[in-house]
């Protein structure tokens, strides 16, 4: 089993946390973040899913795969603010992509972004205000939550897929949940539920972003 390095897994989790509010706050073109996906190993990247405010059908969603290295041989990782700036450029106006950069994943259009070809939009006044407020209310800590959220995908009415890892293991587990369910109980039980092998869906999972899938929509 191939795993991504811990530094990549941690960066994917940090970017997910930074961009979460854009499921409500629009991006250019009235686009919203509908998911953030950890690419299959050994890709050092993040995949951001965008679409209309209530879009969940795969055919109307776009996945942007952004490399996490500032350049191919760089040791520096780009952060959530940089990813957001790239997205704003990509979503503003019309862009033409070569066929070699366009693919599909889970029925969604996948575009492999070349950051060298994108001029990021500088953060605005309200971006910086949000950074100040977020830092004061949710300060960074060296201690990572367990399970750690590496991504998510809004899949339809009352259904969301979480991508998590657990217990110092960067292997990604997908968990389907109902947002209208017993959230307090579910979140408290999640660390133990994802360890129960019998809950994993058998027969293969049509999702390259995880090694196994657990369905907790009826929990």
């Amino acid at each position: 089993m191939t795993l991504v390095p811990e530094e990549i897994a941690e960066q994917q989790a940090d970017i997910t946390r930074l961009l979460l509010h854009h499921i409500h706050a629009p991006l250019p073109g009235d686009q919203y973040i509908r998911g953030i996906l950890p690419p299959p190993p050994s890709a050092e990247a993040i995949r951001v899913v965008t679409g209309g405010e209530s879009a969940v059908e795969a055919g109307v969603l776009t996945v942007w795969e952004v490399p996490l290295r500032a350049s191919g041989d760089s040791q520096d990782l780009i952060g959530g603010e940089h990813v957001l700036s790239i997205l704003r450029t990509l979503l503003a106006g019309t862009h033409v992509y070569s066929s070699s950069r366009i693919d599909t994943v889970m029925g969604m259009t996948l575009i492999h972004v070349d950051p060298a070809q994108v001029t990021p939009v500088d953060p605005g006044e309200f971006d910086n205000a949000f950074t100040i407020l977020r830092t004061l209310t949710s300060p960074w800590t060296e201690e990572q939550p367990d399970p750690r959220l590496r991504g998510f995908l809004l899949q339809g009415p009352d259904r969301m897929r979480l991508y998590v890892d657990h217990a110092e293991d960067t292997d990604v587990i997908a968990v389907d949940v109902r947002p209208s369910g017993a959230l307090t109980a579910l979140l408290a039980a999640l660390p133990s539920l994802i360890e129960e092998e019998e809950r994993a869906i058998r027969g293969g999972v049509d999702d390259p972003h995880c090694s196994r899938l657990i369905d907790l929509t009826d929990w």
Side-chain angles (χ1 to χ4, degrees), residues 65-206:
E65 182 173 301
V66 181
L68 291 181
R69 298 288 179 189
S71 62
D73 56 355
S74 173
Q75 296 303 308
D76 297 327
L77 297 177
I78 67 173
E81 291 88 352
H82 196 165
V83 173
L84 180 58
S85 295
I86 289 174
L87 282 175
R88 284 180 167 152
T89 299
L90 295 170
L91 293 172
T94 302
H95 302 270
V96 178
Y97 305 97
S98 66
S99 59
S100 63
R101 293 198 169 273
I102 301 176
D103 205 342
T104 59
V105 61
M106 299 170 66
M108 299 177 286
T109 299
L110 170 63
I111 298 178
H112 299 273
V113 177
D114 180 2
Q117 302 298 318
V118 179
T119 302
V121 175
D122 291 333
E125 172 188 352
F126 293 109
D127 293 310
N128 294 331
F130 179 77
T131 297
I132 294 170
L133 297 173
R134 182 193 61 226
T135 302
L136 290 173
T137 55
S138 301
W140 293 107
T141 174
E142 292 296 326
E143 184 177 349
Q144 294 287 323
D146 189 14
R148 175 174 58 180
L149 182 67
R150 295 268 296 280
F152 68 95
L153 183 62
L154 300 170
Q155 293 187 304
D158 203 23
R159 192 178 185 97
M160 177 169 61
R161 178 165 294 177
L162 306 174
Y163 296 91
V164 302
D165 60 21
H166 180 48
E168 301 181 354
D169 185 348
T170 62
D171 187 31
V172 175
I173 304 166
V175 186
D176 285 348
V177 300
R178 285 187 303 108
S180 68
L183 295 185
T184 301
L186 172 65
L187 292 173
L190 193 58
S192 60
L193 291 173
I194 62 177
E195 288 188 337
E196 298 177 3
E197 296 287 343
E198 64 274 12
R199 292 186 178 275
I201 294 178
R202 306 298 177 183
V205 179
D206 187 22

Side-chain angles (χ1 to χ4, degrees), residues 31 35 48-51 57-64 91 108-111:
Q31 295 287 290
V48 183
V49 185
T50 60
E57 299 83 4
V60 298
L61 298 176
T62 301
V63 183
W64 308 90
L91 293 172
M108 299 177 286
T109 299
L110 170 63
I111 298 178

